[in-house]
Amino acid sequence: MSSSVNELLDLLTLERLEVNIFRGQSRDIGSAQVFGGQVLGQALSAAQQTVTGRDAHSMHAYFLRRGDIDAPIVYEVDHQRDGRSFSVRRVVAIQHGRPIFNMAASFQVPEAGLEHQSDMPNVPPPDALLSSLEISERVSAVIPEKMRRFLRMQEPLEFRPVHPEHYLSNKALAPAKQTWMRVRGELPDDDNLHRSLLAYLSDYELLGTATLPHGLPFAQGKVQMASLDHALWFHRQMRVDRWLLCDFDSPNTSGARGLARSRIFDADGVLVASSAQEGLIRLWDEARTGGSTDFTQQR
């Protein structure tokens, strides 16, 4: 296992400070603030440590403030309910004495029931596609340095977009795309770890889908985007060290916000999870109106 993957696993291994209180560190991935997927994964990791015999099946979160990369994050877990089949935990992430994020996660005793799922899109396999890093290197001359740094920092992860033109095209495109993604290297057989890592991965690529009909590729750095809320449903067991296909679509943008959704399939076509996110989307000229560049004020 590479050192970068070990760093990612360490990121999701929280320090227990007290009963129901945990502390996590941050990893700089080239963004201006703590990556939202990191907080999602760490919050779920904290909640999972307070539940036994039940698997997470859904999580619903709100991002409240910009996270400080240079400061630890404290996670407080509240036991909202422990019923016969379901448990609910509320998690608040705190930095500098203020909440930056909150989440509710629900857990269920494993049980059998009715089964159906939607079909996976017919797309090329990942081995037939270029990685996002390879694509960025081929078009490095037209990608801002900040974006190139962001893409280079994704070393423990691998992304293979089905439609690489989405990264750069300034033409209006359909609000849909597909991307294969995985964590590099063999990971432990720990279902809780794989769910936390999927929460981490689920924040990549998602919101950018909402910009496609407007000819505003995120790789060119012309838009300000920030996650506002995030929902993730776990349908079946999965491994994030195997290829997963994320099938994204965006049904709406309005009010400087965009909504995006994702269906997540394994390589055998099994629907393992679904996600949805609404986020802030502003053109940079609009974002800077009034002279402020403070993210928390803008949001």
Side-chain angles (χ1 to χ4, degrees):
M1 191 183 302
S2 70
S3 60
S4 61
V5 173
N6 279 324
E7 289 175 7
L8 180 56
L9 299 187
D10 289 343
L11 191 70
L12 298 179
T13 304
L14 305 180
E15 176 188 2
R16 185 185 292 269
L17 300 179
E18 184 52 270
V19 176
N20 301 322
I21 302 177
F22 305 85
R23 179 164 58 197
Q25 303 301 321
S26 294
R27 176 175 178 266
D28 183 359
I29 66 165
S31 57
Q33 62 278 327
V34 173
F35 172 53
Q38 174 198 307
V39 188
L40 289 165
Q42 288 180 334
L44 182 58
S45 177
Q48 287 176 148
Q49 293 186 57
T50 70
V51 180
T52 58
R54 301 177 183 205
D55 297 333
H57 69 87
S58 70
M59 52 188 290
H60 301 260
Y62 282 91
F63 296 91
L64 308 177
R65 293 181 175 86
R66 174 178 181 170
D68 181 356
I69 295 174
D70 298 319
I73 304 174
V74 173
Y75 295 89
E76 295 184 352
V77 182
D78 181 32
H79 293 233
Q80 297 277 289
R81 179 177 185 268
D82 285 299
R84 293 179 60 185
S85 300
F86 291 87
S87 293
V88 177
R89 297 290 184 265
R90 180 173 180 266
V91 182
V92 179
I94 299 170
Q95 273 190 323
H96 307 302
R98 298 194 301 175
I100 65 168
F101 167 96
N102 62 47
M103 179 192 79
S106 183
F107 300 78
Q108 181 185 12
V109 175
E111 61 180 284
L114 300 175
E115 292 265 348
H116 86 275
Q117 68 159 76
S118 55
D119 294 331
M120 184 172 76
N122 184 17
V123 300
D127 291 345
L129 300 168
L130 295 174
S131 72
S132 57
L133 185 57
E134 290 171 326
I135 295 167
S136 68
E137 289 173 347
R138 292 189 179 193
V139 294
S140 60
V142 294
I143 294 181
E145 173 56 31
K146 182 178 179 181
M147 180 55 60
R148 291 200 298 270
R149 178 172 177 263
F150 176 80
L151 292 171
R152 288 195 299 267
M153 292 292 286
Q154 314 314 314
E155 185 181 347
L157 312 174
E158 187 171 8
F159 302 91
R160 298 205 175 189
V162 173
H163 302 287
E165 65 273 15
H166 287 171
Y167 275 70
L168 290 172
S169 176
N170 57 7
K171 297 179 180 179
L173 301 169
K177 63 180 183 180
Q178 296 85 31
T179 299
W180 290 98
M181 59 180 66
R182 68 176 176 181
V183 175
R184 299 176 185 269
E186 192 77 15
L187 297 177
D189 296 328
D190 180 340
D191 290 336
N192 281 346
L193 172 63
H194 286 268
R195 279 188 286 268
S196 293
L197 283 166
L198 185 63
Y200 181 93
L201 279 168
S202 69
D203 198 32
Y204 278 100
E205 299 276 342
L206 183 54
L207 187 56
T209 313
T211 69
L212 293 177
H214 309 282
L216 295 169
F218 182 55
Q220 290 187 0
K222 295 181 179 180
V223 292
Q224 177 201 20
M225 294 196 290
S227 305
L228 296 174
D229 61 12
H230 191 100
L232 178 60
W233 295 267
F234 302 97
H235 306 312
R236 298 169 179 87
Q237 301 292 352
M238 91 299 294
R239 292 189 65 95
V240 296
D241 54 356
R242 306 290 187 267
W243 284 112
L244 298 172
L245 178 70
C246 294
D247 179 35
F248 301 103
D249 81 301
S250 174
N252 182 74
T253 55
S254 60
R257 303 183 315 277
L259 176 65
R261 305 176 295 195
S262 175
R263 299 181 302 164
I264 305 172
F265 299 86
D266 68 17
D268 294 323
V270 176
L271 183 66
V272 298
S274 301
S275 65
Q277 182 179 95
E278 188 175 50
L280 174 71
I281 301 179
R282 289 185 180 134
L283 297 177
W284 271 114
D285 288 345
E286 295 173 4
R288 290 171 176 165
T289 299
S292 171
T293 58
D294 185 304
F295 176 89
T296 57
Q297 291 181 20
Q298 291 169 0
R299 186 161 63 170

